[in-house]
Amino acid sequence: MDVALLTVGDEILAGDTTNTNAAWLANEITTRGATVRRILTVPDDHDTIARWTRQFREEYDAVVVTGGLGGTPDDVTMVAVADGLGRERELFEDVRDGLLAKSEAFRDANPDLASEYEFDMDFEDSASLPAGARPLVTDAGWAPGCAVDGVYVLPGIPDEMKAMFELVADEFDGDTDSRTLYTPTPEGAMGDVLTEVREKFDTEVGSYPADPDTPNRLKVVGEDEAEIERTVAWLRERVETVPEPE
């Protein structure tokens, strides 16, 4: 299963916010056996989001879009995804009713805030999702997400995103597995080994240098367990390895 991640947010592109969502999602998806092939960050721009949603959906098995959900003018992701997939939006009444109930409960629990501030939330707009979508709703946040035609739309706030991803995590399965070796050998001294291992085995081997006080990583990825083990054994005979650092 090949997956693309599309993160949305002007604040990410400006460097005001670190894109931790992409790193977390990539790790979660890879752990489940799927493969993340692309990660792209785009601004809060309708046409850009729609274009990349459409293109990624044509190229990959699944697309995860994060960010740009909510009730402010720059939250255009849901509309853009619908347009990118060529779908109208439809009102999901049960989602709207849930938002209304959550709003009333919030007001009852926070009377001082309710009296001091005017909360102007368009619940019908928030509950209008791409036609045919499966709504994704959690108690962690307000904005609903959705799953439609292989595209998963999640909020950008990390805690809310993680809670919503758990609703669909089991759908990111695949046959890919991996093993990681740790070595004090500098990457520049492993050139011949890394070239030969790629020629001998039906696996992918990546070398990831670290700082001087941390061992480098060799990550072996493949779909055949026995082939992965053969690759690991071959590498252990040719490269010094050390235990995983604590």
Side-chain angles (χ1 to χ4, degrees):
M1 182 182 195
D2 291 338
V3 183
L5 305 181
L6 183 63
T7 55
V8 177
D10 293 338
E11 71 281 6
I12 297 174
L13 293 170
D16 296 330
T17 299
T18 301
N19 191 1
T20 59
N21 284 353
W24 187 89
L25 283 167
N27 180 69
E28 290 292 313
I29 291 169
T30 301
T31 298
R32 287 167 169 77
T35 303
V36 176
R37 296 296 186 187
R38 286 288 303 274
I39 298 176
L40 177 67
T41 301
V42 297
D44 294 290
D45 176 75
H46 171 279
D47 292 347
T48 304
I49 299 168
R51 175 165 60 89
W52 283 106
T53 298
R54 180 169 55 252
Q55 181 171 329
F56 279 172
R57 184 62 193 94
E58 294 172 353
E59 296 177 355
Y60 302 102
D61 300 312
V63 183
V64 182
V65 184
T66 65
L69 301 184
T72 58
D74 61 340
D75 292 323
V76 298
T77 294
M78 194 64 76
V79 175
V81 168
D83 290 344
L85 297 176
R87 292 173 180 253
E88 298 292 331
R89 285 200 302 161
E90 65 174 290
L91 174 63
F92 286 74
E93 296 184 0
D94 55 339
V95 175
R96 178 201 58 197
D97 294 344
L99 290 172
L100 285 169
K102 186 180 290 189
S103 174
E104 292 171 359
F106 178 84
R107 290 176 184 276
D108 291 341
N110 301 274
D112 294 339
L113 283 175
S115 62
E116 182 176 356
Y117 296 100
E118 181 67 29
F119 292 93
D120 183 20
M121 291 180 261
D122 189 339
F123 294 123
E124 292 212 355
D125 184 70
S126 295
S128 295
L129 310 175
R134 171 170 33 118
L136 301 176
V137 179
T138 72
D139 293 331
W142 287 86
C146 73
V148 55
D149 194 23
V151 177
Y152 299 80
V153 186
L154 311 179
I157 298 174
D159 287 345
E160 297 181 17
M161 181 275 297
K162 292 175 182 179
M164 193 170 290
F165 179 77
E166 290 303 316
L167 300 179
V168 298
D170 290 343
E171 298 174 29
F172 291 86
D173 58 350
D175 299 323
T176 301
D177 201 354
S178 67
R179 298 285 186 278
T180 300
L181 302 177
Y182 296 86
T183 176
T185 306
E187 185 178 49
M190 293 188 291
D192 292 343
V193 170
L194 294 174
T195 298
E196 188 174 355
V197 72
R198 292 182 174 94
E199 296 172 349
K200 289 182 67 69
F201 300 97
D202 187 20
T203 55
E204 297 179 10
V205 179
S207 173
Y208 306 103
D211 61 74
D213 298 323
T214 304
N216 297 328
R217 289 183 297 133
L218 291 175
K219 187 173 183 179
V220 181
V221 180
E223 296 184 359
D224 184 276
E225 185 76 18
E227 187 74 351
I228 292 174
E229 294 299 337
R230 285 193 290 271
T231 306
V232 169
W234 189 89
L235 285 169
R236 287 188 186 278
E237 292 177 354
R238 291 158 177 80
V239 178
E240 179 185 358
T241 60
V242 295
E244 178 180 356
E246 296 181 358

